[in-house]
């Protein structure tokens, strides 16, 4: 049983050894250990504070980025609108120029048609004048005995004019 119950001297020497180890540890080891734990705790707290600060900055940067994106979208929309307006303006100007050119060409064509019409009328008048002169000349040359022969001859000349489309032949 002696193995199960230690002696009084062993207990005292163990107690003295424990107290010496406790004193040495308290004097030399506990302070540096506690100091390093305190430094670690402070470092962790600083790291958490820095992480919170970085998180706040990231949130702020994200909101600034979103604001910049919104501004860029607005500018893009304005640029697209201006480009569309400029394109519409160019199309309208081109249409107006084309219409003005069309009107000018139409006026020139109408003027040309009017000139050709007047020239054709003059030619027809000249032709009719020549025909009248020819008919008159032939009527005068022909000596007719009576009025009935005279009228028959005029009708015959008129028919010749319409059938031949121009000159009268005797």
């Amino acid at each position: 049983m002696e193995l199960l119950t230690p002696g009084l001297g062993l207990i005292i020497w163990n107690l003295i050894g424990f107290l010496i180890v406790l004193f040495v540890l308290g004097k030399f080891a506990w302070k540096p250990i506690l100091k390093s734990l305190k430094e670690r705790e402070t470092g962790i707290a600083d790291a958490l504070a820095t992480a919170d600060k970085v998180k706040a900055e990231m949130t702020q940067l994200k909101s600034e980025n979103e604001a910049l994106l919104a501004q860029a979208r607005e500018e893009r929309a304005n640029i697209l609108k201006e480009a569309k307006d400029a394109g519409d303006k160019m199309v309208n100007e081109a249409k107006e120029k084309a219409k003005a050119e069309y009107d000018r060409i139409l006026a020139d064509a109408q003027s040309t048609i009017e000139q050709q019409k007047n020239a054709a009328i003059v030619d027809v008048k000249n032709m009719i004048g020549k025909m009248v002169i020819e008919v008159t000349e032939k009527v005068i040359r022909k000596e007719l005995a009576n009025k009935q022969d005279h009228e028959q001859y005029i009708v015959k000349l008129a028919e010749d004019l319409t059938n031949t489309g121009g000159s009268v032949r005797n």
Side-chain angles (χ1 to χ4, degrees):
M1 251 305 264
E2 215 178 274
L3 287 174
L4 292 176
T5 58
L8 185 60
L10 183 62
I11 291 176
I12 292 176
W13 281 110
N14 276 338
L15 183 63
I16 291 173
F18 178 74
L19 290 175
I20 292 172
V21 169
L22 186 64
F23 174 75
V24 171
L25 285 176
K27 186 84 170 159
F28 298 109
W30 288 113
K31 286 184 183 178
I33 290 173
L34 288 176
K35 183 179 175 187
S36 69
L37 286 175
K38 185 71 173 168
E39 287 175 359
R40 184 170 174 101
E41 185 180 328
T42 306
I44 290 172
D46 288 344
L48 288 174
T50 304
D52 288 341
K53 185 178 177 183
V54 168
K55 185 177 178 182
E57 287 177 5
M58 291 298 288
T59 304
Q60 181 182 0
L61 286 175
K62 185 178 179 183
S63 65
E64 287 176 6
N65 284 342
E66 288 175 359
L68 286 173
L69 281 173
Q71 183 181 2
R73 285 185 188 116
E74 184 178 327
E75 287 178 14
R76 182 193 68 184
N78 287 339
I79 289 170
L80 289 175
K81 183 180 181 233
E82 288 173 5
K84 184 179 184 296
D85 291 344
D88 290 345
K89 183 179 177 184
M90 289 173 61
V91 167
N92 288 337
E93 287 175 359
K95 283 181 181 179
E96 289 174 7
K97 285 181 182 178
K99 183 169 178 7
E101 184 67 17
Y102 167 78
D103 291 343
R104 185 189 63 77
I105 291 172
L106 184 62
D108 288 348
Q110 287 175 342
S111 172
T112 303
I113 290 171
E114 188 65 31
Q115 288 173 355
Q116 289 177 353
K117 179 178 126 183
N118 289 339
I121 289 174
V122 168
D123 287 345
V124 169
K125 285 181 180 178
N126 288 340
M127 190 183 306
I128 289 174
K130 286 180 184 178
M131 284 191 261
V132 167
I133 290 172
E134 283 182 29
V135 169
T136 305
E137 183 181 326
K138 288 185 181 185
V139 168
I140 291 175
R141 282 188 188 165
K142 178 119 175 148
E143 293 181 10
L144 297 175
N146 63 25
K147 188 176 180 180
Q148 185 180 9
D149 288 340
H150 184 75
E151 287 176 1
Q152 284 177 354
Y153 186 66
I154 290 175
V155 168
K156 178 183 174 251
L157 287 177
E159 287 176 3
D160 286 347
L161 280 176
T162 58
N163 289 338
T164 60
S167 63
V168 176
R169 293 194 176 92
N170 203 2

